[in-house]
Amino acid sequence: MRESFDNQLGQLRAELAEVCGLTAVAIEQATCALLDLDPAAADRTNEVNADIDARSRDLDRRVLTLLALQSPVARDLRVLISGLHNIADLRRMGSLAAHIAEVARMHHPAAVVPEELRAILGDMGKAARAQSEAAQEVLRHRDTDAAEQLIASDDRMDALLRDLFAVTKGADWPYGAASAVNITLLGRFYERFCDHTVEISRRIIFVVTGQIPDH
Amino acid sequence: MRESFDNQLGQLRAELAEVCGLTAVAIEQATCALLDLDPAAADRTNEVNADIDARSRDLDRRVLTLLALQSPVARDLRVLISGLHNIADLRRMGSLAAHIAEVARMHHPAAVVPEELRAILGDMGKAARAQSEAAQEVLRHRDTDAAEQLIASDDRMDALLRDLFAVTKGADWPYGAASAVNITLLGRFYERFCDHTVEISRRIIFVVTGQIPDH
């Protein structure tokens, strides 16, 4: 029974990492919809998001079943409870990627991102994708060093968001308020997406060490 | 032992409702900081948010202890797991209120909200406060009718956000992009605050009925 329980925990862990991998695909496709004006990429974002949603619900159900049937304690309990929170984060990441694709879709065939901001938004897209790929490894290997590194690397996204707001709030912003509103929302979606990878990393550190990281 | 467990569950439920009450205070004070340009209200928002944070951590710890020591099943398990998610929502609501107060504080003594948007932002503040007070009752009484009503009433916040974006994105928006960026963020903070009350309500319906509401 213990062996089967361990197998199921291992299976859940592998699938959680897989779903995290899907969030990397979702944010990549969303960025593609946004910057390459590719409506097929927006559709793919939605498909991947639907997949994340369905798999999350299934994972949720299985974690609850294990909690109910196995009554785990100590580390196993931490693993399952953290798993539930991680699932919630991954679902939210999928939704945020879908929000980005939706902004692109609403304005198609017009570009939402003005030429001079393409670089920053492109960097945000890359950073978000890299962070969700890093989170996938953190989840798969429960690697606390990688988790610490991910948490530290989130400063990059915060700096990009500051750069973005510095441009849109600049006195010489030429694209009007409507454009500034869109860019603000997009920046915030990318930033929140990355915040969830930080939450996941903090939780993995907690699972492994029993300590909540103080940063 | 069952009696003591039930007592502890009842105690947690009462405290969760109390913390939800604090989120209502936090969003009210944040709105006051924003619209009445009252820096003391911004300070109070931060104090209440710190209180929400501390109490949430304590609740988290106690729920985990009950899970570990009592190994609950069926409805008790649903109650505790939902409790953990509710705690996470309440903490996030406190942070969102603090974000609003921070925007006000950063611009003080200047007003962030232009005269013509005071009414909409004021309505958003009232709606957010009303929804967190409603969520408090939902949590306290596990009233599924009240939960359904809260979910339905969230349409009001969505409509206010649409109104807000219609103004900031209008061709005749006279306040420039920087102001549009701030208003966009503020609108989004209020909307997300209310989304969390919806999540809490959906979860209470699940706890009581075992069914996830499909809206």
Side-chain angles (χ1 to χ4, degrees), chain A residues 71-90:
Chain A
S71 300
V73 293
R75 190 167 190 269
D76 291 338
L77 180 61
R78 283 209 300 275
V79 164
L80 288 175
I81 297 295
S82 299
L84 286 175
H85 287 300
N86 289 336
I87 293 166
D89 279 311
L90 294 172

Side-chain angles (χ1 to χ4, degrees), chain A residues 15-85:
Chain A
E15 290 188 42
L16 210 54
E18 270 175 42
V19 174
C20 190
L22 291 178
T23 67
V25 176
I27 200 74
E28 187 198 6
Q29 292 297 320
T31 305
C32 185
L34 188 67
L35 297 180
D36 303 341
L37 314 187
D38 178 354
D43 293 342
R44 280 193 297 273
T45 310
N46 284 334
E47 285 160 24
V48 176
N49 182 39
D51 198 12
I52 293 168
D53 218 58
R55 294 194 59 176
S56 303
R57 281 176 202 277
D58 176 57
L59 283 168
D60 244 344
R61 194 186 46 74
R62 282 155 58 198
V63 172
L64 287 172
T65 305
L66 278 181
L67 279 168
L69 297 183
Q70 304 281 347
S71 300
V73 293
R75 190 167 190 269
D76 291 338
L77 180 61
R78 283 209 300 275
V79 164
L80 288 175
I81 297 295
S82 299
L84 286 175
H85 287 300

